Each structure stands twice: as structure tokens, then as C-alpha cells.
Amino acid sequence: MGRQHLSLLMAVGCWDGRLDCEPMTGDSAERNRVRTPQRRPLDVEAVVRGLHAAGYSHVDISAQTGSTNTDLAERVKNTDRDGTTVKDMTVLLTEEQTAGRGRLGRPWTAPAHSQVIFSVLLQLKDVPPAKLGLLPLLTGLAVANGVRKATAPDGDSGRPGFVPAELKWPNDVLVNGKKLAGILVEAVSVDPHPTVIIGCGVNFDLTAEELPVAHATSIVREAAAEGSTAGGGDTEGGGRHGEAPISPTREDATIAILGELAAELKRWRGLGGAAQTILPRYRTLCATVGSSVRVYLPGDRELLGSAVDVSEGGDLIVRDDHGQKRTVSAGDVTHVRPGEAEWSYGQSGKDPREDSQG
């Protein structure tokens, strides 16, 4: 790798883990201490070292920004004007995102230091534009496997005790039907070669009170339930599987997730964007395949049926109620159980298209 470049934008300051800075006393202060994690900034040196080792060329970490995807897109536009380029595999992380966007422009915010938030810039000279539809699936696969790796006893996600992250087509990362991460892949340009930004936010230690919707979750909450404790907490006697607690930090999660993403990208790009570098493993982790689904299609149309496969192009194949196979390239998918309410996006009856973490 060439000369590594590092820009540290970290502001010196203090964060006490609260959602506001007003002093609290009595019972309210005690409840806040119990409920809200004591959060701290990332260890910049450790994260930068780990990401450079994983193959990232340029690492920026900011204390706060509006949107990491927007920031990277602006850098591309600005550097194109002065004749330079943003390096391939540049990664921008932030401690707090105040104007984050999900699919369909949905807002997405959370307290500082409570998530793993990043955007990665790709200059895809080695992948044809026709293959770009696989990038959201690749990213979801990498994030799910990164979460599993970070929370696994001894790093072995084949043993019980890890957070069993899985996927809802195309790239929502779920744990036990609750959303853990949101992913947004955007093409900045396609000429002379595709320039793409992958954005992701993973809930690390958001509490029940801080989660934006009832059908969301965080690594810490799920790790505690599975018998592993993230963020340095303690669980006596283990969780669902009785495994000894482990304590991945937010640094561990950041490096594991981005490390998996770098490895997936290297494999995929090395074979010219070949679908088979992704799809067999994606299908294994995708909870949508084999499920009854309701798909909200463009134009306020709906499709009910069974998801039977994912195509070579990354489309979802659904067998409808008439036995016909339909190809879905865009739409919001909800898992349904026969005779039961929609479950994948919570059991409140809320329209899944209103999900604020999308």
C-alpha cells in the first residue's frame, strides 16, 4: 500500500452519555445512570491502525457531521473541479450524524458515540456498471458477518453466544427480527468509471429509550441476551446459550465490520464483480429467502407471496399467490407469518415504509 494519509478531525471535549446537558438530581439522575451507557469517543489510533491494516487507503474520523455520505460526495465534486481525485477505499467515520439519510430520504439520528457510522468511497475501475446492483447485498453480508465476528466467543461465530445477525433483502441487518443496521449505497458518477459511496450506521449501545422505533435493536442489547456482553458490561451466568460473557468495544465492532467489508470488496472486485463471490453466502444469511413476504412496490402496488431466491443480479424472486415467479428489483419487503400480523418490522401494525432507520 502507498503512503497512508490520516486526517484527524476529532474535537476535544467531554460526553457524559446523557441525551441532554441539563443537571438532574434525585430519582431521575439515578435512573439515568442505570439506563444510559457511559460513552466515550473512539480510540482513534487503534481504529486507524486497524483500518489501514484491513486495506483502507485514507481514514477520517470526525466528532460530528450532517451526513458522511453527503460529505464524501462533496469531496468528490470539489476534487473533480481542481483536477484531483478522492482515493479509492477512503473511509469517513463520525461519532455523531445529525442529518443522516436512509432509503427514500428518511431521517436517521442517534446520540453521540452510540453507533458505528461510516461511509466508504469506491472508484470502481475494475467492475462494470452492470454489476453495481450487487453492492447493497455485499455490504449487508459484510456488516452481518462483522457483527457476528465482533461478538463471537474467541472470534468463532460457529459457536453459540454470538449475535446472530441476518439479512432482510436487500441489505437490512436484523437480529431476531429487529433492525440493527441501515445501509445506503449511492452512485456519485458512472463516467469514466463508477464512483460509489457505501454508507452504514450500526446501533452499538442504544438503550430501549433511545432506539428510534420499537422494532430496532443494538449490539449491546442483543449480545447480552445471547450470552455475550458488549461494551464492557457484565452478565452473570451468561445469556440464552450460557456462554461466558465477552466484551467487544465499539473499536472492536468498527474494525470487524469494516474489515469484513474490505475483504468482501477485494474478493468481488478481484473477479470483476462476479455474483458467485457473494450470492451463495448471502442466500445463507438472508432470512427473506424461504419466507412469506409482502412487497411494497413503486406506484403504491403490493405483491404477496413467498420469496424463493435471489437472482444473479441481486433481485428478489417471489412466487405469487397464483404460482407465478415475479422478479423484484426495488421495493420494501416485510416478512409475514401465515395468519399473523407483519412481524419483521415490529408488531405494532406500523407501515414498514415509515421506518426511520431505512
Short mmCIF file of all heavy atoms in Angstrom, two decimals, residues 50-118:
data_model
loop_
_atom_site.label_atom_id
_atom_site.label_comp_id
_atom_site.label_asym_id
_atom_site.label_seq_id
_atom_site.Cartn_x
_atom_site.Cartn_y
_atom_site.Cartn_z
N GLY A 50 -6.13 -0.29 12.67
CA GLY A 50 -6.87 -1.48 12.23
C GLY A 50 -7.42 -1.35 10.82
O GLY A 50 -7.40 -2.31 10.04
N LEU A 51 -7.89 -0.16 10.45
CA LEU A 51 -8.46 0.03 9.13
C LEU A 51 -7.40 0.10 8.04
O LEU A 51 -7.61 -0.38 6.93
CB LEU A 51 -9.35 1.28 9.11
CG LEU A 51 -10.57 1.21 10.02
CD1 LEU A 51 -11.47 2.43 9.82
CD2 LEU A 51 -11.37 -0.06 9.81
N HIS A 52 -6.27 0.69 8.34
CA HIS A 52 -5.18 0.66 7.37
C HIS A 52 -4.73 -0.78 7.13
O HIS A 52 -4.48 -1.18 5.99
CB HIS A 52 -4.01 1.50 7.87
CG HIS A 52 -4.20 2.97 7.64
ND1 HIS A 52 -3.45 3.93 8.29
CD2 HIS A 52 -5.05 3.65 6.82
CE1 HIS A 52 -3.83 5.13 7.88
NE2 HIS A 52 -4.81 4.99 6.99
N ALA A 53 -4.65 -1.56 8.18
CA ALA A 53 -4.25 -2.96 8.04
C ALA A 53 -5.28 -3.74 7.20
O ALA A 53 -4.93 -4.69 6.49
CB ALA A 53 -4.10 -3.62 9.41
N ALA A 54 -6.55 -3.34 7.27
CA ALA A 54 -7.61 -4.01 6.52
C ALA A 54 -7.61 -3.64 5.04
O ALA A 54 -8.26 -4.31 4.24
CB ALA A 54 -8.97 -3.69 7.13
N GLY A 55 -6.90 -2.55 4.69
CA GLY A 55 -6.81 -2.17 3.28
C GLY A 55 -7.39 -0.82 2.92
O GLY A 55 -7.46 -0.48 1.73
N TYR A 56 -7.81 -0.03 3.90
CA TYR A 56 -8.34 1.30 3.61
C TYR A 56 -7.18 2.28 3.40
O TYR A 56 -6.19 2.26 4.14
CB TYR A 56 -9.27 1.76 4.72
CG TYR A 56 -10.54 0.95 4.75
CD1 TYR A 56 -10.65 -0.18 5.57
CD2 TYR A 56 -11.60 1.26 3.91
CE1 TYR A 56 -11.79 -0.96 5.56
CE2 TYR A 56 -12.76 0.49 3.91
CZ TYR A 56 -12.84 -0.62 4.73
OH TYR A 56 -13.98 -1.40 4.71
N SER A 57 -7.31 3.13 2.40
CA SER A 57 -6.20 4.00 2.00
C SER A 57 -6.16 5.31 2.75
O SER A 57 -5.09 5.91 2.91
CB SER A 57 -6.28 4.27 0.49
OG SER A 57 -7.49 4.96 0.18
N HIS A 58 -7.30 5.78 3.18
CA HIS A 58 -7.39 7.11 3.79
C HIS A 58 -8.52 7.06 4.82
O HIS A 58 -9.63 6.64 4.51
CB HIS A 58 -7.70 8.14 2.69
CG HIS A 58 -7.82 9.56 3.17
ND1 HIS A 58 -6.96 10.55 2.76
CD2 HIS A 58 -8.70 10.15 4.00
CE1 HIS A 58 -7.31 11.69 3.33
NE2 HIS A 58 -8.36 11.47 4.09
N VAL A 59 -8.23 7.48 6.04
CA VAL A 59 -9.20 7.38 7.14
C VAL A 59 -9.41 8.76 7.76
O VAL A 59 -8.45 9.41 8.18
CB VAL A 59 -8.71 6.40 8.23
CG1 VAL A 59 -9.75 6.31 9.35
CG2 VAL A 59 -8.43 5.03 7.64
N ASP A 60 -10.65 9.21 7.80
CA ASP A 60 -11.02 10.43 8.52
C ASP A 60 -12.02 10.06 9.61
O ASP A 60 -12.93 9.26 9.37
CB ASP A 60 -11.70 11.44 7.60
CG ASP A 60 -10.72 12.19 6.73
OD1 ASP A 60 -9.51 12.08 6.96
OD2 ASP A 60 -11.18 12.89 5.80
N ILE A 61 -11.86 10.66 10.78
CA ILE A 61 -12.81 10.47 11.88
C ILE A 61 -13.21 11.84 12.40
O ILE A 61 -12.35 12.62 12.82
CB ILE A 61 -12.22 9.62 13.03
CG1 ILE A 61 -11.72 8.27 12.51
CG2 ILE A 61 -13.25 9.43 14.13
CD1 ILE A 61 -11.05 7.41 13.57
N SER A 62 -14.49 12.15 12.35
CA SER A 62 -14.96 13.46 12.82
C SER A 62 -15.80 13.30 14.08
O SER A 62 -16.38 12.24 14.33
CB SER A 62 -15.79 14.15 11.73
OG SER A 62 -17.00 13.46 11.49
N ALA A 63 -15.86 14.36 14.86
CA ALA A 63 -16.67 14.35 16.07
C ALA A 63 -18.16 14.44 15.75
O ALA A 63 -18.99 13.83 16.42
CB ALA A 63 -16.27 15.49 16.99
N GLN A 64 -18.48 15.18 14.70
CA GLN A 64 -19.89 15.36 14.32
C GLN A 64 -19.96 15.82 12.88
O GLN A 64 -19.08 16.53 12.39
CB GLN A 64 -20.57 16.40 15.21
CG GLN A 64 -22.06 16.58 14.95
CD GLN A 64 -22.64 17.72 15.75
OE1 GLN A 64 -22.51 18.89 15.36
NE2 GLN A 64 -23.28 17.42 16.87
N THR A 65 -20.99 15.37 12.18
CA THR A 65 -21.24 15.86 10.83
C THR A 65 -22.71 15.68 10.51
O THR A 65 -23.44 15.00 11.25
CB THR A 65 -20.37 15.12 9.80
OG1 THR A 65 -20.44 15.80 8.54
CG2 THR A 65 -20.84 13.68 9.60
N GLY A 66 -23.13 16.30 9.41
CA GLY A 66 -24.51 16.13 9.00
C GLY A 66 -24.74 14.74 8.44
O GLY A 66 -25.58 13.98 8.93
N SER A 67 -23.96 14.36 7.42
CA SER A 67 -24.08 13.06 6.77
C SER A 67 -22.74 12.69 6.17
O SER A 67 -22.16 13.45 5.40
CB SER A 67 -25.15 13.10 5.67
OG SER A 67 -25.03 12.00 4.79
N THR A 68 -22.24 11.51 6.52
CA THR A 68 -20.95 11.07 5.97
C THR A 68 -21.06 10.81 4.47
O THR A 68 -20.11 11.08 3.73
CB THR A 68 -20.46 9.81 6.69
OG1 THR A 68 -21.49 8.81 6.69
CG2 THR A 68 -20.04 10.12 8.13
N ASN A 69 -22.20 10.31 4.00
CA ASN A 69 -22.36 10.12 2.56
C ASN A 69 -22.31 11.46 1.82
O ASN A 69 -21.63 11.59 0.79
CB ASN A 69 -23.70 9.43 2.26
CG ASN A 69 -23.58 7.92 2.18
OD1 ASN A 69 -22.74 7.31 2.84
ND2 ASN A 69 -24.43 7.30 1.39
N THR A 70 -23.00 12.45 2.36
CA THR A 70 -23.00 13.78 1.73
C THR A 70 -21.61 14.38 1.74
O THR A 70 -21.16 14.98 0.75
CB THR A 70 -23.98 14.71 2.46
OG1 THR A 70 -25.31 14.17 2.35
CG2 THR A 70 -23.97 16.10 1.86
N ASP A 71 -20.89 14.22 2.85
CA ASP A 71 -19.53 14.76 2.95
C ASP A 71 -18.62 14.16 1.88
O ASP A 71 -17.85 14.88 1.22
CB ASP A 71 -18.95 14.49 4.34
CG ASP A 71 -19.61 15.31 5.42
OD1 ASP A 71 -20.38 16.23 5.08
OD2 ASP A 71 -19.36 15.03 6.61
N LEU A 72 -18.68 12.85 1.71
CA LEU A 72 -17.82 12.21 0.70
C LEU A 72 -18.22 12.63 -0.71
O LEU A 72 -17.37 12.86 -1.57
CB LEU A 72 -17.89 10.69 0.84
CG LEU A 72 -16.91 10.04 1.81
CD1 LEU A 72 -17.04 8.52 1.78
CD2 LEU A 72 -15.47 10.44 1.51
N ALA A 73 -19.51 12.75 -0.96
CA ALA A 73 -19.97 13.18 -2.29
C ALA A 73 -19.47 14.59 -2.60
O ALA A 73 -19.05 14.88 -3.73
CB ALA A 73 -21.49 13.12 -2.37
N GLU A 74 -19.49 15.46 -1.60
CA GLU A 74 -19.00 16.83 -1.80
C GLU A 74 -17.50 16.82 -2.06
O GLU A 74 -17.00 17.60 -2.89
CB GLU A 74 -19.32 17.69 -0.57
CG GLU A 74 -20.78 18.08 -0.47
CD GLU A 74 -21.24 18.90 -1.66
OE1 GLU A 74 -20.48 19.80 -2.09
OE2 GLU A 74 -22.33 18.62 -2.19
N ARG A 75 -16.77 15.96 -1.40
CA ARG A 75 -15.33 15.88 -1.65
C ARG A 75 -15.06 15.47 -3.10
O ARG A 75 -14.15 16.00 -3.75
CB ARG A 75 -14.68 14.87 -0.70
CG ARG A 75 -14.65 15.30 0.74
CD ARG A 75 -13.82 14.34 1.58
NE ARG A 75 -13.97 14.60 2.99
CZ ARG A 75 -13.24 14.02 3.94
NH1 ARG A 75 -12.32 13.15 3.61
NH2 ARG A 75 -13.45 14.32 5.21
N VAL A 76 -15.84 14.52 -3.59
CA VAL A 76 -15.66 14.09 -4.98
C VAL A 76 -15.92 15.24 -5.93
O VAL A 76 -15.14 15.50 -6.86
CB VAL A 76 -16.60 12.90 -5.30
CG1 VAL A 76 -16.57 12.59 -6.80
CG2 VAL A 76 -16.19 11.67 -4.51
N LYS A 77 -16.99 15.98 -5.71
CA LYS A 77 -17.32 17.10 -6.60
C LYS A 77 -16.24 18.19 -6.54
O LYS A 77 -15.84 18.74 -7.56
CB LYS A 77 -18.67 17.68 -6.20
CG LYS A 77 -19.84 16.74 -6.45
CD LYS A 77 -21.14 17.33 -5.93
CE LYS A 77 -22.29 16.36 -6.11
NZ LYS A 77 -23.57 16.88 -5.52
N ASN A 78 -15.78 18.49 -5.32
CA ASN A 78 -14.78 19.54 -5.16
C ASN A 78 -13.44 19.15 -5.77
O ASN A 78 -12.78 19.97 -6.43
CB ASN A 78 -14.59 19.88 -3.69
CG ASN A 78 -15.81 20.56 -3.09
OD1 ASN A 78 -16.61 21.15 -3.81
ND2 ASN A 78 -15.98 20.45 -1.78
N THR A 79 -13.02 17.91 -5.57
CA THR A 79 -11.72 17.49 -6.10
C THR A 79 -11.76 17.33 -7.61
O THR A 79 -10.77 17.56 -8.30
CB THR A 79 -11.25 16.19 -5.46
OG1 THR A 79 -12.26 15.18 -5.62
CG2 THR A 79 -10.98 16.38 -3.97
N ASP A 80 -12.91 16.94 -8.15
CA ASP A 80 -13.03 16.85 -9.61
C ASP A 80 -12.80 18.21 -10.25
O ASP A 80 -12.23 18.31 -11.34
CB ASP A 80 -14.40 16.31 -10.00
CG ASP A 80 -14.50 14.80 -9.82
OD1 ASP A 80 -13.45 14.18 -9.62
OD2 ASP A 80 -15.63 14.27 -9.86
N ARG A 81 -13.25 19.26 -9.57
CA ARG A 81 -13.10 20.61 -10.13
C ARG A 81 -11.65 21.07 -10.15
O ARG A 81 -11.25 21.82 -11.04
CB ARG A 81 -13.95 21.60 -9.33
CG ARG A 81 -15.44 21.52 -9.67
CD ARG A 81 -16.18 22.72 -9.11
NE ARG A 81 -16.32 22.64 -7.67
CZ ARG A 81 -17.37 22.13 -7.05
NH1 ARG A 81 -18.36 21.62 -7.75
NH2 ARG A 81 -17.43 22.10 -5.74
N ASP A 82 -10.85 20.62 -9.17
CA ASP A 82 -9.46 21.08 -9.16
C ASP A 82 -8.48 20.04 -9.72
O ASP A 82 -7.27 20.17 -9.59
CB ASP A 82 -9.02 21.51 -7.75
CG ASP A 82 -9.07 20.37 -6.74
OD1 ASP A 82 -8.99 19.20 -7.15
OD2 ASP A 82 -9.18 20.66 -5.54
N GLY A 83 -9.02 19.00 -10.34
CA GLY A 83 -8.17 18.06 -11.07
C GLY A 83 -7.61 16.91 -10.25
O GLY A 83 -6.86 16.09 -10.77
N THR A 84 -7.98 16.81 -8.98
CA THR A 84 -7.53 15.69 -8.15
C THR A 84 -8.68 14.71 -7.99
O THR A 84 -9.79 14.94 -8.45
CB THR A 84 -7.06 16.18 -6.78
OG1 THR A 84 -8.16 16.79 -6.11
CG2 THR A 84 -5.92 17.18 -6.92
N THR A 85 -8.40 13.60 -7.31
CA THR A 85 -9.45 12.62 -7.05
C THR A 85 -9.38 12.18 -5.59
O THR A 85 -8.32 12.22 -4.97
CB THR A 85 -9.30 11.38 -7.94
OG1 THR A 85 -8.00 10.80 -7.72
CG2 THR A 85 -9.45 11.74 -9.41
N VAL A 86 -10.53 11.76 -5.06
CA VAL A 86 -10.56 11.16 -3.74
C VAL A 86 -10.11 9.71 -3.89
O VAL A 86 -10.56 9.01 -4.78
CB VAL A 86 -11.98 11.23 -3.13
CG1 VAL A 86 -12.00 10.62 -1.74
CG2 VAL A 86 -12.47 12.66 -3.10
N LYS A 87 -9.25 9.27 -3.01
CA LYS A 87 -8.68 7.93 -3.14
C LYS A 87 -9.73 6.84 -3.02
O LYS A 87 -10.64 6.92 -2.19
CB LYS A 87 -7.61 7.70 -2.07
CG LYS A 87 -6.33 8.47 -2.28
CD LYS A 87 -5.31 8.09 -1.22
CE LYS A 87 -3.99 8.81 -1.42
NZ LYS A 87 -3.01 8.41 -0.37
N ASP A 88 -9.56 5.82 -3.84
CA ASP A 88 -10.36 4.61 -3.68
C ASP A 88 -10.14 4.04 -2.28
O ASP A 88 -9.04 4.11 -1.73
CB ASP A 88 -9.90 3.59 -4.74
CG ASP A 88 -10.66 2.28 -4.67
OD1 ASP A 88 -11.89 2.33 -4.53
OD2 ASP A 88 -10.01 1.23 -4.75
N MET A 89 -11.20 3.49 -1.69
CA MET A 89 -11.17 2.93 -0.34
C MET A 89 -10.88 3.98 0.74
O MET A 89 -10.27 3.70 1.76
CB MET A 89 -10.18 1.76 -0.25
CG MET A 89 -10.60 0.54 -1.04
SD MET A 89 -12.12 -0.24 -0.41
CE MET A 89 -11.52 -1.05 1.07
N THR A 90 -11.35 5.21 0.49
CA THR A 90 -11.37 6.22 1.54
C THR A 90 -12.55 5.94 2.46
O THR A 90 -13.65 5.65 1.99
CB THR A 90 -11.51 7.63 0.93
OG1 THR A 90 -10.30 7.98 0.27
CG2 THR A 90 -11.81 8.68 2.01
N VAL A 91 -12.33 6.03 3.76
CA VAL A 91 -13.42 5.81 4.71
C VAL A 91 -13.55 7.01 5.63
O VAL A 91 -12.55 7.53 6.14
CB VAL A 91 -13.23 4.51 5.53
CG1 VAL A 91 -11.93 4.50 6.30
CG2 VAL A 91 -14.41 4.29 6.48
N LEU A 92 -14.77 7.47 5.80
CA LEU A 92 -15.08 8.57 6.69
C LEU A 92 -15.98 8.05 7.80
O LEU A 92 -17.06 7.50 7.53
CB LEU A 92 -15.77 9.70 5.93
CG LEU A 92 -16.30 10.89 6.75
CD1 LEU A 92 -15.16 11.58 7.47
CD2 LEU A 92 -17.02 11.88 5.84
N LEU A 93 -15.55 8.21 9.05
CA LEU A 93 -16.36 7.81 10.20
C LEU A 93 -16.71 9.06 10.99
O LEU A 93 -16.00 10.07 10.95
CB LEU A 93 -15.60 6.85 11.12
CG LEU A 93 -15.11 5.54 10.52
CD1 LEU A 93 -13.64 5.65 10.15
CD2 LEU A 93 -15.32 4.40 11.49
N THR A 94 -17.81 8.99 11.74
CA THR A 94 -18.18 10.10 12.60
C THR A 94 -18.75 9.56 13.90
O THR A 94 -19.31 8.45 13.94
CB THR A 94 -19.18 11.04 11.92
OG1 THR A 94 -19.33 12.23 12.71
CG2 THR A 94 -20.55 10.39 11.75
N GLU A 95 -18.60 10.34 14.96
CA GLU A 95 -19.14 9.98 16.26
C GLU A 95 -20.63 10.30 16.36
O GLU A 95 -21.36 9.69 17.13
CB GLU A 95 -18.40 10.73 17.36
CG GLU A 95 -16.91 10.42 17.45
CD GLU A 95 -16.64 9.08 18.12
OE1 GLU A 95 -17.59 8.30 18.32
OE2 GLU A 95 -15.47 8.83 18.44
N GLU A 96 -21.09 11.30 15.58
CA GLU A 96 -22.49 11.69 15.63
C GLU A 96 -22.90 12.24 14.27
O GLU A 96 -22.20 13.06 13.68
CB GLU A 96 -22.73 12.75 16.70
CG GLU A 96 -24.19 13.14 16.83
CD GLU A 96 -24.42 14.18 17.93
OE1 GLU A 96 -23.44 14.85 18.33
OE2 GLU A 96 -25.58 14.32 18.36
N GLN A 97 -24.04 11.79 13.78
CA GLN A 97 -24.57 12.23 12.50
C GLN A 97 -25.89 12.93 12.74
O GLN A 97 -26.82 12.34 13.29
CB GLN A 97 -24.75 11.01 11.58
CG GLN A 97 -24.98 11.35 10.14
CD GLN A 97 -24.79 10.14 9.24
OE1 GLN A 97 -23.92 10.13 8.39
NE2 GLN A 97 -25.61 9.12 9.42
N THR A 98 -25.97 14.20 12.35
CA THR A 98 -27.15 15.00 12.67
C THR A 98 -28.17 15.07 11.54
O THR A 98 -29.30 15.50 11.75
CB THR A 98 -26.73 16.43 13.04
OG1 THR A 98 -26.05 17.02 11.92
CG2 THR A 98 -25.83 16.42 14.26
N ALA A 99 -27.77 14.67 10.34
CA ALA A 99 -28.70 14.73 9.20
C ALA A 99 -28.55 13.48 8.35
O ALA A 99 -28.53 13.54 7.12
CB ALA A 99 -28.44 15.99 8.37
N GLY A 100 -28.43 12.33 9.02
CA GLY A 100 -28.27 11.08 8.31
C GLY A 100 -29.50 10.75 7.48
O GLY A 100 -30.62 11.13 7.83
N ARG A 101 -29.28 10.04 6.37
CA ARG A 101 -30.37 9.68 5.47
C ARG A 101 -30.37 8.19 5.23
O ARG A 101 -29.32 7.57 5.09
CB ARG A 101 -30.22 10.38 4.12
CG ARG A 101 -30.33 11.89 4.18
CD ARG A 101 -29.97 12.50 2.84
NE ARG A 101 -28.56 12.29 2.52
CZ ARG A 101 -28.12 11.56 1.50
NH1 ARG A 101 -28.99 10.92 0.73
NH2 ARG A 101 -26.83 11.45 1.25
N GLY A 102 -31.57 7.64 5.18
CA GLY A 102 -31.71 6.25 4.77
C GLY A 102 -32.38 6.20 3.42
O GLY A 102 -32.39 7.17 2.66
N ARG A 103 -32.93 5.04 3.08
CA ARG A 103 -33.65 4.93 1.82
C ARG A 103 -34.81 5.92 1.78
O ARG A 103 -35.43 6.22 2.80
CB ARG A 103 -34.19 3.50 1.63
CG ARG A 103 -33.12 2.48 1.36
CD ARG A 103 -33.74 1.20 0.82
NE ARG A 103 -34.87 0.72 1.61
CZ ARG A 103 -34.75 -0.08 2.66
NH1 ARG A 103 -33.55 -0.48 3.05
NH2 ARG A 103 -35.82 -0.48 3.32
N LEU A 104 -35.10 6.42 0.59
CA LEU A 104 -36.21 7.36 0.36
C LEU A 104 -36.04 8.64 1.17
O LEU A 104 -36.99 9.35 1.44
CB LEU A 104 -37.56 6.70 0.70
CG LEU A 104 -37.85 5.38 -0.01
CD1 LEU A 104 -39.20 4.84 0.43
CD2 LEU A 104 -37.80 5.56 -1.52
N GLY A 105 -34.78 8.96 1.55
CA GLY A 105 -34.50 10.19 2.27
C GLY A 105 -34.96 10.22 3.70
O GLY A 105 -35.06 11.28 4.33
N ARG A 106 -35.21 9.05 4.31
CA ARG A 106 -35.69 9.01 5.68
C ARG A 106 -34.62 9.52 6.64
O ARG A 106 -33.45 9.18 6.53
CB ARG A 106 -36.07 7.58 6.06
CG ARG A 106 -37.23 7.02 5.26
CD ARG A 106 -37.25 5.52 5.34
NE ARG A 106 -38.35 4.95 4.56
CZ ARG A 106 -38.34 3.74 4.06
NH1 ARG A 106 -37.29 2.96 4.23
NH2 ARG A 106 -39.37 3.28 3.38
N PRO A 107 -34.99 10.33 7.64
CA PRO A 107 -34.01 10.85 8.59
C PRO A 107 -33.50 9.76 9.53
O PRO A 107 -34.19 8.78 9.79
CB PRO A 107 -34.79 11.92 9.37
CG PRO A 107 -36.21 11.45 9.29
CD PRO A 107 -36.35 10.82 7.93
N TRP A 108 -32.29 9.97 10.06
CA TRP A 108 -31.70 8.97 10.93
C TRP A 108 -30.69 9.65 11.85
O TRP A 108 -29.66 10.13 11.41
CB TRP A 108 -30.99 7.92 10.07
CG TRP A 108 -30.39 6.78 10.82
CD1 TRP A 108 -30.43 6.53 12.16
CD2 TRP A 108 -29.64 5.72 10.25
NE1 TRP A 108 -29.77 5.40 12.46
CE2 TRP A 108 -29.26 4.86 11.30
CE3 TRP A 108 -29.24 5.40 8.96
CZ2 TRP A 108 -28.50 3.72 11.10
CZ3 TRP A 108 -28.48 4.26 8.76
CH2 TRP A 108 -28.12 3.42 9.82
N THR A 109 -31.00 9.74 13.13
CA THR A 109 -30.11 10.36 14.10
C THR A 109 -30.05 9.50 15.35
O THR A 109 -30.92 8.66 15.59
CB THR A 109 -30.59 11.77 14.49
OG1 THR A 109 -31.91 11.68 15.05
CG2 THR A 109 -30.61 12.69 13.28
N ALA A 110 -28.99 9.71 16.16
CA ALA A 110 -28.81 8.98 17.41
C ALA A 110 -27.83 9.75 18.27
O ALA A 110 -27.08 10.60 17.77
CB ALA A 110 -28.30 7.56 17.14
N PRO A 111 -27.76 9.47 19.59
CA PRO A 111 -26.81 10.15 20.46
C PRO A 111 -25.36 9.90 20.03
O PRO A 111 -25.05 8.87 19.42
CB PRO A 111 -27.08 9.53 21.84
CG PRO A 111 -28.47 9.00 21.76
CD PRO A 111 -28.64 8.56 20.34
N ALA A 112 -24.50 10.85 20.33
CA ALA A 112 -23.08 10.71 20.01
C ALA A 112 -22.51 9.46 20.66
O ALA A 112 -22.91 9.07 21.77
CB ALA A 112 -22.31 11.94 20.48
N HIS A 113 -21.58 8.81 19.97
CA HIS A 113 -20.81 7.66 20.49
C HIS A 113 -21.67 6.42 20.71
O HIS A 113 -21.23 5.51 21.41
CB HIS A 113 -20.08 8.03 21.79
CG HIS A 113 -19.32 9.32 21.72
ND1 HIS A 113 -19.31 10.21 22.78
CD2 HIS A 113 -18.60 9.88 20.74
CE1 HIS A 113 -18.58 11.26 22.43
NE2 HIS A 113 -18.14 11.08 21.19
N SER A 114 -22.86 6.37 20.13
CA SER A 114 -23.74 5.22 20.38
C SER A 114 -23.86 4.29 19.18
O SER A 114 -24.52 3.26 19.26
CB SER A 114 -25.16 5.71 20.74
OG SER A 114 -25.76 6.38 19.64
N GLN A 115 -23.20 4.65 18.07
CA GLN A 115 -23.30 3.86 16.85
C GLN A 115 -21.92 3.70 16.19
O GLN A 115 -20.96 4.36 16.57
CB GLN A 115 -24.24 4.52 15.84
CG GLN A 115 -25.68 4.60 16.30
CD GLN A 115 -26.55 5.26 15.24
OE1 GLN A 115 -26.22 6.29 14.68
NE2 GLN A 115 -27.69 4.63 14.93
N VAL A 116 -21.86 2.82 15.23
CA VAL A 116 -20.74 2.74 14.30
C VAL A 116 -21.25 3.34 13.00
O VAL A 116 -22.12 2.76 12.34
CB VAL A 116 -20.27 1.29 14.09
CG1 VAL A 116 -19.17 1.23 13.02
CG2 VAL A 116 -19.79 0.68 15.40
N ILE A 117 -20.75 4.52 12.63
CA ILE A 117 -21.24 5.25 11.48
C ILE A 117 -20.08 5.48 10.51
O ILE A 117 -19.04 6.03 10.90
CB ILE A 117 -21.83 6.61 11.88
CG1 ILE A 117 -22.93 6.43 12.93
CG2 ILE A 117 -22.36 7.36 10.66
CD1 ILE A 117 -23.39 7.75 13.55
N PHE A 118 -20.26 5.08 9.25
CA PHE A 118 -19.17 5.26 8.29
C PHE A 118 -19.70 5.34 6.87
O PHE A 118 -20.81 4.89 6.56
CB PHE A 118 -18.16 4.12 8.40
CG PHE A 118 -18.71 2.76 8.06
CD1 PHE A 118 -18.79 2.31 6.74
CD2 PHE A 118 -19.15 1.91 9.07
CE1 PHE A 118 -19.31 1.06 6.44
CE2 PHE A 118 -19.66 0.65 8.77
CZ PHE A 118 -19.74 0.23 7.44
#
